[in-house]
Amino acid sequence: MTWLLLLSLPPLAGALAYGRAPLFAWLWAGLAWLAAMGWAAGWAVGWTLLAMAVLAAVLGVFMHDGLRRQRVTAPILKAFRGALPAMSQTERDALEAGTVWWEGELFAGRPDWNKLGAYPWPKLSAEEQAFLDNETEALCRLTNDWACTQQQDMPAEVWQYIKDKGFLGMIIPREYGGKGFSAYAHSQVITKLSTRSSAPAVTVMVPNSLGPAELLLHYGTPEQKQHYLPGLARGREIPAFALTSPWAGSDAASIPDAGVVCKGEWNGEEVLGMRVSFDKRYITLAPVCTVFGLAFRLYDPERLLGGDEDLGITCALVPHDHPGVDIGNRHFPLNAVWMNGPVRGKDVFMPLDFIIGGPRMAGQGWRMLMECLAAGRSISLPGSNTGMQKLTARAVGAYARVRYQFKTAIGRFEGVEEALTRIGANTYLCDAARVMTAGAIDLGEKPSVVSAIVKYHVTERARQVVNDGMDVIGGKGICLGPQNFLGRAYQQIPVGITVEGANILTRSLILFGQGAIRCHPYVLDEMHSAQKNDLEAFDKALWGHVGFTVSNAARAVAMGLTGSHFVKVPADVAPETRRYYQQLTRFSAAFAFISDISMGTLGGALKRKEKLSARLGDILSLMYLATATLKRYEAEGRQAADAPLMHWAIWDCMFRIQLAFEGVIANFPNKLFAFLLRRLVVFPLGRPYVVPSDKLGHQVAALLIEPSATRDRLTADVYLPEDIEEPVGALEAALAATIAAEPVEAKLRQLQRDGRFAPGLMTGGDVDEVWRRAREAGVISDEEFRLVERRNMLRNKVIRVDDFPYDFGLRAALEEAPRSAPALKVAA
């Protein structure tokens, strides 16, 4: 009996912790256990009562609010305040900007799957769908990516179409002449344009994301809105936003650009204003902008505004032709066509009315930027990079069926299948994350952590997808020209990796570094209450945090030991996905616990452990991507034909989550904690996931190389020209012709194997001669020959690569140019 009672103690404590029982339940359970133990072990009654009294006294201190705060919490608060690093206003603004959405559920260790199921899946309104089907389709049709590349600009008629049709004012409300579209509609337009060319996509993307319109809508004065928004909506104004400095790229909060509040002359009168010096680069649309937003640090040494001397980062709206402004030349970002360049100014005087929101918003720029960036970063790069993936999936899948090597379509080789599998599944997953996140923006969220997750992971997986696509098409992809449908995307993939927060920084510092504080249910409250020296609030947050950690530890252990088979999930989820929800719940609890252990044992040093922080961020991110994939599968009606895409994406996420857990544990500074985490909490029965199976990968790859409803859903936003002189149009036609001709090809090969047809010696180098001889021999009909002839014609269009004069025509162009023509101006 004594041994049974001893063995019962861990399960008893675990059950109380698992259910996060209140302290009085711990007290009564503890007293009952001690009484039973004393009886079974034959303890003296006095010793048994003494043990029970000690337990009651200890727990009594914790149960009495006043005693607990004064005797236990107060010393902890003092130590916590001493260890809490100083935080600048910009750091505080970054941490507190935006909102916490579904990622908070994943961080808390107990995701509410009913909440996930209740989120509406975004849909376009009739007007938005019509704009996508008509104006956006027409803009794609007007744009020729190769021609734009050669001219290094879009034609004037394309620019005018973008302005006239309201592409620059999609997010501007109708009362100002804009479209008033949803975030999802904005994302859909960017995704579709990106399947055609980056030039119109980026040109449309920037004004509708982080730019003057977004900032004006949220923070502008009524006068500023009336002055600028109608012009922006109708394309009379072209906006840019100047944030990045040569000396503070990813560390945007450290921009050296500065202004001083002073008096100066404006419109013939002396007014209170600011004299600003700035040097910005990488500013999209700067060379063609008519107005630009400007971020700088504002100082008020004479305290003319009556506040602090260092007011902080401020955002102003500046006309491009304002005296002293130098728009500069143009950058050349990886041969991209969209406009990008520097903006400079020295001691430029501006009235205070230039500040977005007026003088009252002086110094509030960083919070404004962080909140707007959360929305813009959730839409622009996820949309454009998902568009690249969809184009790759559609075009490379078709190419892999049309292109033959060793008398077999290359898409049927397992090595190529491996690349096609990643292309298909990553496209499915990234599109799910893109749509779900855009839906969050339409729900009123500004999810700063989620925006960083989708920015980082969609751009990284787009790089993988495009690289895989280039591997599959081989020599076709490495020769640039109008027939190369993927080379331009390959050139520009690093742009998405670099901008709006470089991916290395995003992964190592933001995903967990910001997520741990922003998404954790207690950490931010602890920090705020400690800074205010609020003992009551700190006490509440601290002991809530302790209970949270103990509960997640118990839940992680219990779910690990039982393989999470007993985790409750909603009854209405698809049966084939039930285990994923259970395992994600288990991983969420383990992640919450290991995060608390990491923060508790490493403290402020965790910020310097960037590799450890990055792996913790990977776990949170991959859980989000997996849940977005599950949400998409449910929202689209559990399409059975799409299931291989969903399964492969989830298995890949789960396997990567395990690797990230292993990376954290293997590099955990405290080896005892590391051992306990691995053997008891995270992997008590081993790792449940391996790499996705080859069989599953074969099913995914097969979906890309033949027409189907699944392939159409996966690549729904790809612009498909009907002209077979267009590379994607030729691929679509060639795929259909290849499938139609395959029975004829199989028939001819069988006749050759049976010895019933021998084409004889063919020395002319014509790969299609065998078909003419087969028709002449009567082994295939005229109709069959026509099928093969069309297939061969389209195949030849698809596999050809472009060639040019040996000097690309430059010598002739120079000879024809007038001798007096000025030299090209080259940016330094």
Side-chain angles (χ1 to χ4, degrees), residues 722-746:
E722 297 179 359
D723 184 359
I724 63 172
E725 295 304 316
E726 293 258 15
V728 176
L731 275 165
E732 287 292 296
L735 176 62
T738 297
I739 292 172
E742 280 177 351
V744 185
E745 185 144 22

Side-chain angles (χ1 to χ4, degrees), residues 3 477 603 621 752 758:
W3 281 107
S621 301
Q752 289 178 302

Side-chain angles (χ1 to χ4, degrees), residues 68-195:
R68 182 185 66 247
R69 288 172 189 157
Q70 294 303 318
R71 299 298 182 186
V72 184
T73 307
I76 296 175
L77 173 59
K78 183 178 179 181
F80 190 88
R81 282 174 57 82
L84 191 66
M87 186 181 300
S88 68
Q89 186 61 45
T90 53
E91 289 177 315
R92 185 175 293 108
D93 287 345
L95 284 174
E96 297 177 359
T99 59
V100 176
W101 188 55
W102 174 247
E103 73 278 24
E105 291 287 324
L106 297 172
F107 210 107
R110 198 188 293 261
D112 184 348
W113 299 115
N114 288 311
K115 182 181 289 188
L116 177 69
Y119 290 138
W121 195 246
K123 294 187 180 190
L124 297 176
S125 68
E127 182 185 0
E128 291 169 341
Q129 186 66 59
F131 187 83
L132 190 68
D133 294 340
N134 298 307
E135 284 87 345
T136 308
E137 182 85 4
L139 179 54
C140 289
R141 193 163 50 247
L142 280 172
T143 306
N144 183 301
D145 191 61
W146 181 251
C148 292
T149 303
Q150 297 308 102
Q151 300 166 11
Q152 279 301 301
D153 195 3
M154 297 183 296
E157 58 268 26
V158 175
W159 273 105
Q160 197 60 47
Y161 189 85
I162 288 172
K163 296 174 183 178
D164 292 345
K165 298 301 181 181
F167 280 93
L168 301 182
M170 290 191 294
I171 67 167
I172 296 176
R174 299 177 192 278
E175 59 263 34
Y176 298 106
K179 297 289 184 186
F181 281 175
S182 64
Y184 176 55
H186 174 195
S187 178
Q188 288 291 91
V189 170
I190 299 305
T191 300
K192 188 176 186 73
L193 291 175
S194 297
T195 70

Side-chain angles (χ1 to χ4, degrees), residues 193 404 430 570 825:
L193 291 175
Y404 272 57
C430 289
K825 184 179 180 182

